[in-house]
Every structure is written in structure tokens, then in C-alpha cells.
Amino acid sequence: MSSEKVHELVIVGSGPAGYTAAIYAARAELAPVQYEGSVTAGGALMNTTEVENFPGFPTGIMGPELMESLRKQAERFGTQLITDDIVSMKLDGDIKELEDGSGNKLKAKAVILATGSAYKEIGLENEKRLSGRGVSWCATCDGFFFREKVLAVVGGGDSAMEEANFLTRFATKVYVIHRRDSLRASKIMVDRAKANPKIEFIWNTEVIDVLGADKVEALKLRNTVTNEESEKAFDGLFVAIGHLPRSELLVGQIDLDGEGYVKVEGRSTRTNLKGVFACGDLVDHTYRQAITAAGSGCQAALDAERFLAGH
Amino acid sequence: MSAAQPVTTATFDEVVLKSSTPVLVDFWAEWCGPCRAVGPILDQIADEYAGKIKVVKLNTDEESAIAMKYGITSIPTLNVYVNGEVVKTVIGAKPKPALLKELSDYL
């Protein structure tokens, strides 16, 4: 890719937000260049199974299949898709400068940031040490290795419920460990988990250590009400305690909030830098759904289009 | 272009454990999204570092005995074998520059 050419628009990221931004921008003939991510292309939905709540799919659709469709739609209108990462960005000034993981440099008049979020770790030393040795963040990837095992899922949101339900295909028993006595997951997901005979809840409890020499053997737990500590044997630990915005490349050059989410102006996708727009999980604390991400990707493309037209 | 070749339980001993060069084994499965994402990167490494490191892939669905033997509970897992011993383990799909850095001792 020539480093002299100045592109109209570069889109960084490729979940529902990034691909929707690309569909709109490509149809507006902005010839967007989209960096999908070398190993994260398609985003968080690539690691889910069935998506039941994306409008237009009355019988549900598999996450990866939905993302493949969005990708094709972006490509159909002329998006240049690149399966690589952006590793550095300089976003102030009229011409934005970006560099990818292969060392290519490129310039653009406008940039849409849609890098989404990454899973959160509990933050225990032994969690890291036993990662891939019984500690996992991806039930659809790793559940298969826990046939006839007893598992713990930590978390109280929709993704924790989904992981727990999925894991009962393999495990004999799945305990959902949650630090409160109620869940923030949606009612349908909670009802499904509660109706599943293989799932049991351990309330008001947090994981304070992961025990095992070279694989997970037990968890050290603490009751958040009584502070009482205990140990319980488990073969695996699936962590589903939420996500963190992937804004590490933006620190120091764009306004972020206290948790690292990109700040946008009002209901728009405009960041504090001219010509830089942000959408999807990167800006959204609240909703974090495929459809809201897609909606904000559309907004970002329209905001970028207006910005470029006025330039 | 020499892409990563499949290895099976039957060939594991010969191809991996008795190899005179380091061998990178990619434990993967068809249904694993991150495995599919990292696959093409491993093919590139197989090609670019041919002669220095051998890159093979083991389907954990079909060859579960080997996967169990090496305690695989998360895929993709990348194990480097030197003289029949695991000397390095990388868990999860990582971008190429990060992978090359992890593997730098064997390239």
C-alpha cells in the first residue's frame, strides 16, 4: 500500500460496528479501508454460538455466520478489507497517520474507531499461570475439553449465563459463582440457566485464588457477606465478568473516560478530535449488543460522510 | 508455499518427537474461531521459517489422545517441541509480530 495516498476513510475494527460502518461508508463511495484485525476479525461474536436477538433472524443465527454476512455486505460495496492490526495511530491534525502490523503506513482524512472490547480477567496471579490449563475465557473454544468435568463460571451477566448453559453440553455440573445475590443477566437467560438441572448457583461469593500445580484443581472462594473463606474442587474455571474497551492505542491522544471508553459528543460518534469517530463497544458502557453496535457503526459512517463532505 | 501440515497420533512420534529441528504443533479444531484466525499466520510462519522450524497442526477432535496427553484444555494451544520435549507453550490466537516474538528462540 502506497504511503503517499491519502484515503478518505480508514475503519479500525470489524465487529458489528466496524462492518456496518463499512457498509454505509462504501455505499457512500468513500472507498473505506478496513483493518479487521489479524486474529480478532469479526470481533466478539466470533466466539459465541447462537445469536437469538439480532432482528431479521427469527430462528436465530450463529455468531460467526452473522459476521461473515456483514463482512460480505461490506465487501460487496467496495470496502477494502485487510486482515491485519493497526499498531499505531496519530490522529490529531487533518491527515491521520496509521501503521499496521506488517509495517505499512497509511494516511486518511477520517478514521472510525471500532476496536470493541476484550475480556476482563479477575486479576489473580494463578489465573494467569493456569490460563490454558483449566482457566478459560471462551466456552465455545474450550468447553469440549471438559467432558464429564465439574466447572465454575464466574460472572452474573448474559455472557456468564450463555457460557454456563453451553458448558452443560460437556460438563457433569456447572456452578455459576457470583459476588452478589442477584444477576444482571436478562430474564430469559437467567430463567434458562435456572431451569438447567446441571447448573447450580453459588451466591455472594468471589474467587480469590485458583489452586493447582499444573492444572486447575480447586478454587479458593470468599463469601462477600460473611467473609468466610472456603475451598471447592473444580476441573475448570470459565471467566465471564465483563469486558474492557480496547483503547490502549488511544491513551494520551483522545479523550477517554475513567474506564477507558472513548468519549463521544452527545448522541453522535464524534470524538474530541476532528475527523475521528468512535462506535460499538469501544464507546458503550450500557447496551453492548450486536444491534446497538451495528446502529452506532451506521451513525459513525454518516458522521464521517458529513465531515468529509464539509471538507 | 509450504503450509502447516497435519499431524496425527500415528505420525506424532516420527514427525514431532523425533524431529531434528524444533517443531511447532498447533492444537486446533474446526469449530474454534480463534484457531481459524491464527491458521493462516501459522501457514506463513511455516513458509517463511522453513528449515528452521517445522509447523504442524493437530486436530484435537480427531486426535484427542495426543491432546489429552499434553493436557490441552484451551485452543489454539501452540507447543514447541525440541528433542521430544515441550519447551514453549503459547495459548490463544496472537497477531504475527507477537507470535514471532514468543517463538524467537526457535526461529
Side-chain angles (χ1 to χ4, degrees), chain A residues 24-102:
Chain A
Y24 273 77
R27 286 193 76 243
E29 301 193 328
L30 298 177
V33 176
Q34 178 165 31
Y35 275 84
E36 299 179 277
S38 65
V39 293
T40 50
L45 282 184
M46 297 301 283
N47 294 336
T48 61
T49 51
E50 190 147 27
V51 179
E52 293 178 334
N53 54 10
F54 202 89
F57 298 92
T59 56
I61 181 166
M62 298 304 276
E65 204 181 316
L66 176 61
M67 296 322 298
E68 188 52 35
S69 299
L70 290 181
R71 183 183 197 272
K72 277 189 190 141
Q73 202 171 346
E75 201 170 30
R76 174 182 160 203
F77 296 109
T79 303
Q80 185 186 345
L81 295 162
I82 299 176
T83 311
D84 201 343
D85 306 293
I86 290 295
V87 296
S88 75
M89 292 183 251
K90 195 169 171 299
L91 297 174
D92 55 345
D94 287 342
I95 303 296
K96 323 294 177 194
E97 295 170 26
L98 302 95
E99 186 175 348
D100 72 17
S102 310

Side-chain angles (χ1 to χ4, degrees), chain B residues 33-101:
Chain B
C35 300
R36 286 197 303 271
V38 82
I41 294 175
L42 295 174
D43 286 340
Q44 287 171 24
I45 293 177
D47 189 45
E48 288 162 23
Y49 294 88
K52 288 187 178 151
I53 193 165
K54 190 150 67 174
V55 183
V56 296
K57 48 189 187 180
L58 184 128
N59 185 320
T60 53
D61 271 351
E62 290 159 12
E63 313 294 340
S64 56
I66 296 275
M68 263 169 74
K69 184 178 167 199
Y70 287 99
I72 306 298
T73 63
S74 190
I75 52 172
T77 286
L78 309 175
N79 274 354
V80 180
Y81 294 78
V82 172
N83 297 325
E85 300 286 330
V86 179
V87 292
K88 175 87 189 171
T89 297
V90 181
I91 288 162
K94 298 196 173 163
K96 191 175 173 188
L99 261 185
L100 290 177
K101 207 168 151 193

Side-chain angles (χ1 to χ4, degrees), chain A:
Chain A
M1 194 172 298
S2 152
S3 60
E4 290 315 305
K5 177 169 180 184
V6 179
H7 298 279
E8 290 295 301
L9 175 65
V10 172
I11 299 167
V12 187
S14 64
Y19 283 138
T20 304
I23 293 166
Y24 273 77
R27 286 193 76 243
E29 301 193 328
L30 298 177
V33 176
Q34 178 165 31
Y35 275 84
E36 299 179 277
S38 65
V39 293
T40 50
L45 282 184
M46 297 301 283
N47 294 336
T48 61
T49 51
E50 190 147 27
V51 179
E52 293 178 334
N53 54 10
F54 202 89
F57 298 92
T59 56
I61 181 166
M62 298 304 276
E65 204 181 316
L66 176 61
M67 296 322 298
E68 188 52 35
S69 299
L70 290 181
R71 183 183 197 272
K72 277 189 190 141
Q73 202 171 346
E75 201 170 30
R76 174 182 160 203
F77 296 109
T79 303
Q80 185 186 345
L81 295 162
I82 299 176
T83 311
D84 201 343
D85 306 293
I86 290 295
V87 296
S88 75
M89 292 183 251
K90 195 169 171 299
L91 297 174
D92 55 345
D94 287 342
I95 303 296
K96 323 294 177 194
E97 295 170 26
L98 302 95
E99 186 175 348
D100 72 17
S102 310
N104 298 311
K105 294 187 163 76
L106 66 162
K107 293 176 179 169
K109 293 181 196 162
V111 171
I112 291 176
L113 303 168
T115 49
S117 56
Y119 60 74
K120 215 187 254 181
E121 299 178 2
I122 303 174
L124 304 168
E125 208 163 293
N126 284 327
E127 170 193 20
K128 193 157 279 183
R129 181 176 62 85
L130 293 169
S131 146
R133 293 281 178 259
V135 179
S136 171
W137 286 265
C138 179
T140 57
C141 306
D142 303 337
F144 174 83
F145 299 103
F146 295 90
R147 264 177 214 286
E148 310 292 313
K149 303 283 186 191
V150 177
L151 301 177
V153 172
V154 181
D158 276 351
S159 44
M161 298 308 111
E162 196 201 330
E163 303 248 304
N165 268 313
F166 180 82
L167 289 170
T168 59
R169 295 188 196 180
F170 309 102
T172 48
K173 188 92 192 171
V174 177
Y175 291 88
V176 176
I177 301 174
H178 188 48
R179 63 198 155 128
R180 283 188 271 276
D181 61 1
S182 63
L183 300 160
R184 79 191 126 77
S186 57
K187 190 171 181 305
I188 185 171
M189 297 299 282
V190 174
D191 289 349
R192 206 175 284 172
K194 287 186 170 168
N196 189 322
K198 284 186 174 180
I199 295 179
E200 203 169 303
F201 287 86
I202 303 179
W203 302 107
N204 294 318
T205 299
E206 56 188 0
V207 176
I208 54 171
D209 204 358
V210 188
L211 309 174
D214 49 17
K215 63 181 171 60
V216 172
E217 286 163 10
L219 297 177
K220 199 166 178 183
L221 306 172
R222 179 164 59 209
N223 187 298
T224 55
V225 178
T226 64
N227 275 328
E228 200 179 314
E229 294 184 4
S230 61
E231 270 183 40
K232 188 169 169 56
F234 286 103
D235 301 302
L237 167 65
F238 285 78
V239 182
I241 55 172
H243 294 83
L244 291 171
R246 290 181 58 213
S247 57
E248 58 278 2
L249 293 179
L250 306 169
V251 175
Q253 60 171 328
I254 203 165
D255 283 355
L256 306 176
D257 71 11
E259 291 168 78
Y261 290 87
V262 174
K263 283 193 190 172
V264 289
E265 198 185 302
R267 295 177 59 215
S268 79
T269 63
R270 289 188 295 272
T271 69
N272 66 307
L273 297 179
K274 271 205 176 98
V276 181
F277 307 88
C279 55
D281 281 1
L282 185 63
V283 300
D284 181 7
H285 293 242
T286 317
Y287 303 107
R288 289 185 290 216
Q289 302 300 303
I291 188 68
T292 53
S296 81
C298 159
Q299 287 177 285
L302 295 176
D303 286 342
E305 189 187 347
R306 262 168 225 152
F307 167 80
L308 290 165
H311 238 62

